[in-house]
Amino acid sequence: MNFDKSKFEKMKEELSKSCKNGDLLCICRYLYDNVPYYNWVGFYLVDGSRTLKLGPYVGEPTIHTRIAFGEGICGQAAETMKNFVVQDVSKEQNYLSCSPSVKSEIVIPLIKHGKIIGELDIDSHYLSPFDKKDEEFLGWICDYLVKEVNIN
């Protein structure tokens, strides 16, 4: 995978300008179009108590439109309110497969006032593409959404 992760700093500025008012679909499209190993990009939003509901996304359709807390990688991230970086999904017992093409996944929770309100989920068709720079960049996006555009 040949992608210069130093571009993430410039991408923060571009995202802030092009995806105004927390347009989640715009953010999904931007990430999908600009990072070659982000092969599915979407948001899950907390719907009621202890359930995630699929929000805007870009990539192949998924059957996982509702996920209980604790279920799969997304549900585990919601349950623990911690980032999950899975470099090889085939080694995870609690993985919900969306596509046989998916090899790895990163999930970053959106936390507001100590409660999870959603999460950013990215699947990749490559093994081990994610590192600390991805996690920091995606964390910045989630913080931006919670603080700057006041996503609920």
Side-chain angles (χ1 to χ4, degrees):
M1 181 55 40
N2 190 11
F3 177 75
D4 179 4
K5 293 185 181 188
S6 68
K7 291 180 180 180
F8 284 153
E9 284 305 311
K10 184 174 184 197
M11 290 172 68
K12 288 179 185 180
E13 187 179 316
E14 291 173 356
L15 257 172
S16 300
K17 290 178 183 174
S18 61
C19 296
K20 300 216 183 285
N21 301 320
D23 182 340
L24 299 182
L25 183 57
C26 177
I27 292 168
C28 292
R29 273 198 192 104
Y30 182 88
L31 294 174
Y32 183 87
D33 290 344
N34 287 282
V35 183
Y37 55 95
Y38 289 5
N39 304 117
W40 189 96
V41 180
F43 286 91
Y44 281 92
L45 303 173
V46 174
D47 182 32
S49 178
R50 304 185 52 77
T51 302
L52 296 165
K53 182 179 179 186
L54 181 62
Y57 72 94
V58 175
E60 292 180 38
T62 177
I63 61 168
H64 303 292
T65 59
R66 297 183 80 68
I67 300 173
F69 281 30
E71 187 178 290
I73 306 304
C74 288
Q76 289 177 80
E79 182 84 41
T80 63
M81 293 194 296
K82 293 185 178 175
N83 297 349
F84 268 69
V85 181
V86 179
Q87 302 292 9
D88 183 351
V89 296
S90 72
K91 295 182 178 175
E92 293 295 313
Q93 292 182 356
N94 193 11
Y95 172 67
L96 299 175
S97 178
C98 293
S99 162
S101 301
V102 175
K103 305 282 189 254
S104 57
E105 181 174 16
I106 186 168
V107 181
I108 311 293
L110 290 126
I111 299 171
K112 183 175 184 177
H113 304 302
K115 292 184 176 182
I116 184 159
I117 59 169
E119 54 192 31
L120 173 56
D121 179 24
I122 298 177
D123 294 341
S124 180
H125 296 167
Y126 302 90
L127 287 171
S128 302
F130 307 117
D131 65 17
K132 207 65 171 153
K133 289 182 182 179
D134 293 277
E135 194 171 2
E136 289 168 1
F137 172 60
L138 299 172
W140 175 87
I141 292 171
C142 291
D143 288 345
Y144 166 77
L145 287 169
V146 170
K147 293 175 187 165
E148 300 299 322
V149 299
N150 203 22
I151 188 170
N152 291 329

